[in-house]
Structure formats: structure tokens, C-alpha cells
Amino acid sequence: MTTTVFRNASQLVGVVAEGTSVKLGSAFRDPGVIHDGTLVVEGSHIVWVGRTRDLPALPSQAKVFDLAGKVILPGLIDGHTHLIFAGERLDEWEQRLSGQSYQAIAESGGGIMSTVRAVRQASRSKLVELARPRLERLLSFGVTTVEVKTGYGLSLKDELRCLEAIADLNASGPWELIPTFLGAHAVPTEFANDRAVYLHLLCDEMLPEIARCGLARFVDVFCETDVFDLQESKRILLRARELGFELKVHADELTPLGGAELAASVGAVSADHLLCVSDRGIEALAHSGTVATLLPGTALFLGVEFAPARRLIDSGVAVALATDCNPGTCPTEHLPLIGTLACTRMGMLPAETFNALTLHAAHSVRRGQDLGSLTPGKQADFVICNISDYRQLFYHFGINHVWQVYKRGQLVRENATSHSAGKAW
Ligand code: NIG
Ligand code: FE
């Protein structure tokens, strides 16, 4: 097996003890930095991290790279995306800029349903072709693992095609995709006057068939006023749990419905969005160990209040961050910029933000055992950035600091960079 040594990094960030899946309280404020560090990879896994001066003797055929003061991070993880879509929603965006609400647009047949109409027209290969550049852009920002939701098909046939497109993309790229079935994203127009029938279809036809074909790991529900209420969401989630899925919930995004409490009560792995979460919801999440996945790009793009990240963190909830990349509420793949929003608009410290994008994001997709930190034994997914201090990733914002991206020990992306580590911009 090839041994590769990456030496003389100014910082290795995200060095975490084996077995740590979440960092709460003061530990969350610790970025896990080794200064003047070296990372050693054997095949597809990390085998050693430490100070360069403590590097043990290596096999003579080891390949050695001198990083000259750059920073090494674990591969970033985007734990919440809606990447499988067709079409843009530029007109809708303008309508919102002119004062119409997201909900009013959805009620008049736009919003999610307008993307559903476009996806239903798109073949499996078209969906793959449309999503690949989005994944390439994520990769260029250092994102090596991506949760991808369906939710723009909303019929068994169309949802299955979306899941197949995710499987095709997973098999053909260097990235790792984690598929989530979001058939409960909206009640499609054809069932608008018959929602009970769609619920029956979801619980008794779609979920069992999707469980049978094994193309989804998680099931998610958009628990929201005028979408799926608490009772309906609970029914779908319990059915999914019974079929062996792990659960996620779009909770308290636009209105304070109690989605966080529901997510906690059904043992969901994560409750996502939480812009309107109540104190009781926060308490329930802290108690259940459900990860709060916050998506500040969505609050920015909708022009609404950000999620109460500080109250969540200070109450002992494990917070992760993700893009929510989708054509309606957050059209971006710029995960580091999401980190800047977390710092500047939600009061998160750079170290907390970093942990939310790595360790906690891994935990939010149940991959904490092998991803999310620079820990010997974990998969060698890591990113070399042209900065000398990891905080520059969020501070010098809106540009890409990533130089090289490694997945399972292999170089899978190299960006041209215009400046060098350690030099002021
Ligand atoms: O996470 N909230 C539901 N789903 C997406 C938006 C989907 C859309 O508008 O197309 C979200 O914000
Ligand atoms: Fe979402």
C-alpha cells in the first residue's frame, strides 16, 4: 500500500480523538489544531497525524509532499441539499423581491411545484447531467460528502428516477452521496383536494417500495403549515422508521409548528432549518441528541431571521451547518460562505463553525465513525487550503481558498489559486 506524507502544514485542523462524534460546550469551541503538522495516509485511510518534528520513521518508498505552511482540513460535508432538480426559479425570485411571500407563491402553484413540473419532464440521464456540475462546484469548495434529497418528483415513478440519478452520480464521481427520500416535500397539485390519498400513497406504496429497492438511507418530511402538519408528518416518519429508515425533518423553517419537538420525539438523526424553533423545541433536541442542521444561506436568501444558533449551542444541542442547495430558497454550493454567515449572522465562532461543517455534519448523516475529522483510522478525505490559519476560510469570504481535495487518499480536484499561504491578501 502506498504511504503518502503531507508535511509542514501550518495547521492540521479537526484533529479529534477516536470515538468522538460530537463536541459540546467548550469542546465545540476547540478546532482541534496541531500547529506545524504532518498527515500520513496509507491507501485510503489516515494513519498518523502530529507535529512534523515528531514524525516517525517512514518506509523508504513513501511519497512526501511539503505543504510550505498551508492548512489541512477534513473534507467538508454538506449534510442537507436538494441537488436533484431541473430548471431555475428566477421569476419567482423577482416576485419575492417585489414583496410576495414564499408561501403565497407556493399556494398559487409555483414554488416547489414549479420545480416538480420541470423534474417530471427530465430523464434520469438529464437529471444526472444537471446535477454533476453542482457536485463539481461543491467539490471545488472542499466538499467530499453530500447528502442529496429527492422531493421534486412526488410520484413513485418520478421519485425513483431521482433516487436512481443520485445512485448514478454516486457511482460515477469521486464524491460520496447520501440519499434521502423526501416524497413528503409537498402534496402535489393532482392531490391538492385529496391529501389523504397522497398520504396513503406515501406510507403504503412509495415508502415500502423505496425500502425494498434500497436506494435511500434517510427519509425526510417538510413539516410546515400548509405542507405536512404535525400529525401527518409523524405518521410518515413512524412508517419510515418501521421500514428501517433513519429520519430527518425540515422543522420550524417558516412557522413555529413544533417540528423540532416532533423530530426529537421520533428519534430523528437531525432537525433542519429551525429558523422559528421554540424554547421547548430546543430543550427537546438537547435531550434527544438530535443534531440541529442550520442552513443560514436560506435565511439570507429568503430575507428572514436567522436560526437561534447561540441558544441552540448554549443549550447543549449539537449544531451542524449545510447549504440547503436548491433552486427556490438557497441556490448556492458555496459551503465556506455558509460558514461566514454562521459567524457573522448567527454569532458562531470560527471554531464552532468549523466543527459544524465537519464532525457534526458527519454525525448528521450518521458517518461520524469514518468521516468528519483528521483521525487515524478514518477515511483519508481531506482538503489542502492556501491559507495559513483556518479562520481565513470564513474571514476572507466569498472566494475559494481550496487548493487540493483528496477523497479516500486520492487527489480528486486541484484548483488554480491566485495567492499563497501566509501572504496577506
Ligand atoms: O429546504 N423547505 C423545503 N424545501 C426547500 C425549499 C424547496 C424549494 O423551494 O424548492 C428548503 O428550503
Ligand atoms: Fe431543505
Side-chain angles (χ1 to χ4, degrees):
M1 218 181 303
T2 322
T3 302
T4 316
V5 181
F6 298 85
R7 52 182 288 146
N8 281 333
S10 70
Q11 297 179 337
L12 304 180
V13 196
V15 178
V16 169
E18 200 188 327
T20 306
S21 55
V22 290
K23 285 178 152 196
L24 301 174
S26 60
F28 194 45
R29 292 190 293 275
D30 173 11
V33 170
I34 293 180
H35 295 278
D36 305 320
T38 288
L39 172 81
V40 183
V41 172
E42 221 172 73
S44 56
H45 283 76
I46 298 170
V47 291
W48 191 86
V49 292
R51 298 286 297 253
T52 300
R53 62 163 191 239
D54 299 330
L55 188 63
L58 291 160
S60 58
Q61 69 278 28
K63 277 198 272 179
V64 181
F65 295 102
D66 191 316
L67 296 190
K70 295 181 175 60
V71 166
I72 306 184
L73 321 168
L76 303 181
I77 295 166
D78 193 345
H80 182 137
T81 80
H82 305 253
L83 272 188
I84 300 294
F85 62 84
E88 295 177 317
R89 307 228 297 264
L90 292 166
D91 293 342
E92 171 187 322
W93 182 45
E94 277 212 38
Q95 285 164 13
R96 284 202 287 105
L97 295 176
S98 313
Q100 273 218 54
S101 72
Y102 178 80
Q103 290 98 320
I105 292 167
E107 269 162 42
S108 62
I112 291 172
M113 276 318 293
S114 91
T115 303
V116 169
R117 286 188 288 276
V119 164
R120 287 179 177 176
Q121 299 296 314
S123 65
R124 172 171 167 178
S125 60
K126 185 70 190 173
L127 292 172
V128 168
E129 180 192 318
L130 289 168
R132 184 170 280 124
R134 298 172 195 141
L135 288 164
E136 293 285 357
R137 278 189 288 274
L138 279 165
L139 192 70
S140 78
F141 288 121
V143 180
T144 48
T145 303
V146 186
E147 186 261 10
V148 184
K149 301 175 198 298
T150 66
Y152 294 119
L154 306 189
S155 71
L156 179 57
K157 166 171 83 72
D158 295 304
E159 286 289 312
L160 275 175
R161 195 168 69 262
C162 293
L163 286 169
E164 285 161 357
I166 298 172
D168 291 347
L169 287 157
N170 191 37
S172 66
W175 40 68
E176 244 171 298
L177 306 185
I178 293 159
T180 295
F181 172 65
L182 180 55
H185 200 191
V187 174
T189 318
E190 63 274 21
F191 292 103
N193 298 318
D194 237 343
R195 51 190 304 122
V197 178
Y198 189 62
L199 273 160
H200 166 76
L201 200 70
L202 265 175
C203 293
D204 300 318
E205 290 183 30
M206 294 164 87
L207 280 171
E209 179 55 21
I210 282 155
R212 199 195 55 74
C213 71
L215 286 174
R217 164 119 201 234
F218 289 94
V219 166
D220 194 343
V221 174
F222 189 12
C223 176
E224 184 57 66
T225 308
D226 297 329
V227 189
F228 293 96
D229 67 21
L230 280 176
Q231 228 186 338
E232 293 167 338
S233 301
K234 186 170 183 178
R235 177 174 156 200
I236 300 161
L237 291 165
L238 291 181
R239 179 72 176 125
R241 194 171 75 182
E242 183 181 275
L243 289 163
F245 291 103
E246 302 219 58
L247 308 178
K248 292 181 165 286
V249 184
H250 275 69
D252 304 316
E253 178 178 357
L254 307 167
T255 57
L257 199 63
E261 291 90 321
L262 173 65
S265 77
V266 297
V269 174
S270 71
D272 300 34
H273 285 288
L274 302 170
L275 303 184
C276 304
V277 66
S278 68
D279 288 343
R280 278 184 44 194
I282 293 176
E283 222 174 280
L285 295 176
H287 225 251
S288 63
T290 303
V291 176
T293 296
L294 305 184
L295 310 154
T298 306
L300 177 84
F301 199 70
L302 288 176
V304 297
E305 286 280 314
F306 286 75
R310 275 278 41 107
R311 280 197 286 131
L312 284 155
I313 294 165
D314 297 340
S315 307
V317 178
V319 165
L321 289 162
T323 60
D324 197 25
C325 181
N326 77 77
T329 64
C330 196
T332 187
E333 296 93 348
H334 204 322
L335 192 55
L337 184 59
I338 300 302
T340 301
L341 291 174
C343 295
T344 58
R345 307 304 302 275
M346 300 200 301
M348 289 176 66
L349 296 169
E352 295 174 324
T353 299
F354 171 80
N355 286 324
L357 290 167
T358 53
L359 191 71
H360 285 188
H363 188 56
S364 80
V365 293
R366 282 282 189 260
R367 292 295 301 275
Q369 259 143 17
D370 59 339
L371 301 176
S373 65
L374 299 180
T375 303
K378 283 197 181 182
Q379 201 165 288
D381 291 11
F382 61 97
V383 180
I384 303 176
C385 292
N386 227 359
I387 47 180
S388 53
D389 182 315
Y390 80 96
R391 293 173 298 181
Q392 288 161 337
L393 195 61
F394 313 124
Y395 164 81
H396 185 185
F397 71 94
I399 62 157
N400 196 351
H401 294 287
V402 170
W403 176 47
Q404 289 183 329
V405 182
Y406 288 78
K407 182 74 182 171
R408 299 186 184 95
Q410 298 295 314
L411 176 64
V412 293
R413 172 85 190 201
E414 185 167 302
N415 297 326
T417 52
S418 56
H419 54 285
S420 51
K423 296 238 171 79
W425 51 277

